[in-house]
Amino acid sequence: ACPAPVAAYVPATRFGDTIIVSGQLPSVKGDFSAFTGVVPNQISVEKAKEASQICFLNNIAAALTQLKNGETLRLVQIQGFVQSANDFHDQPIVLNGASELAVQILGENGKHARTAVGVSTLPKNVAVEISCTFQAIKE
C-alpha cells in the first residue's frame, strides 16, 4: 500500500502517460525509525541501501495507483537524496539499492536515468528519500 503523505500533497500525479511520484521515505507501515540518521555516521551505507530499496517500493506503490487497466510501469528516472555527513561522497552506492531493485522488479522496463544527491537533512530525519518518474505503457 502507498504510504500516506506527511504534508499537503498527493503521492503521485499523472499527465498523459507520465507518472510523477512525490518523494517517498523508507516507511514500513508508517514507521521510519529503522532508517534514520546521517550516512555513514549514524546509519551504515548498507542500511541506507536497504532504505533506498524501501523508498523505491513505496514509489512503485504510489505509481500503481495511477495505472489504467492493461498498463504497466516503465521507470524513467530516480531522483535520490541521501542525508550525508560532510565528508561522505558515496551517495551513488546508497542509491544502487533502489536501482538494482528496479531492474529486478521491472526487467528492461527498470533501466533508468538517475540523480544521487547528498543533503544535510531530510524529513523525519530519514537517511534516504527517493522520487521517481514512470511511464505508463500498454502491457
Side-chain angles (χ1 to χ4, degrees):
C2 176
V6 296
Y9 59 89
V10 295
T13 188
R14 177 175 175 158
F15 59 97
D17 65 353
T18 302
I19 299 168
I20 298 178
V21 179
S22 297
Q24 297 294 311
L25 306 180
S27 169
V28 179
K29 298 181 181 174
D31 182 16
F32 315 98
S33 62
F35 303 103
T36 59
V38 175
V39 182
N41 300 359
Q42 298 166 328
I43 183 172
S44 70
V45 171
E46 281 306 309
K47 193 75 172 171
K49 277 181 78 171
E50 185 182 340
S52 80
Q53 292 174 323
I54 294 168
C55 291
F56 180 70
L57 291 173
N58 289 338
N59 269 269
I60 287 180
L64 288 173
T65 68
Q66 301 296 309
L67 289 183
K68 299 172 184 166
N69 285 341
E71 290 180 335
T72 190
L73 293 173
R74 183 179 83 81
L75 179 60
V76 177
Q77 182 184 35
I78 290 178
Q79 292 182 333
F81 305 91
V82 180
Q83 185 175 209
S84 302
N86 288 340
D87 60 349
F88 181 71
H89 305 288
D90 288 333
Q91 292 83 7
I93 292 172
V94 172
L95 270 292
N96 280 347
S99 291
E100 292 163 3
L101 185 60
V103 174
Q104 286 175 9
I105 293 172
L106 299 171
E108 284 295 309
N109 289 338
K111 294 183 178 177
H112 57 279
R114 187 179 83 182
T115 301
V117 178
V119 297
S120 61
T121 62
L122 284 172
K124 308 287 186 187
N125 192 35
V126 296
V128 182
E129 179 175 356
I130 290 177
S131 173
C132 292
T133 302
F134 292 93
Q135 179 185 21
I137 58 174
K138 296 288 182 195
E139 291 188 89

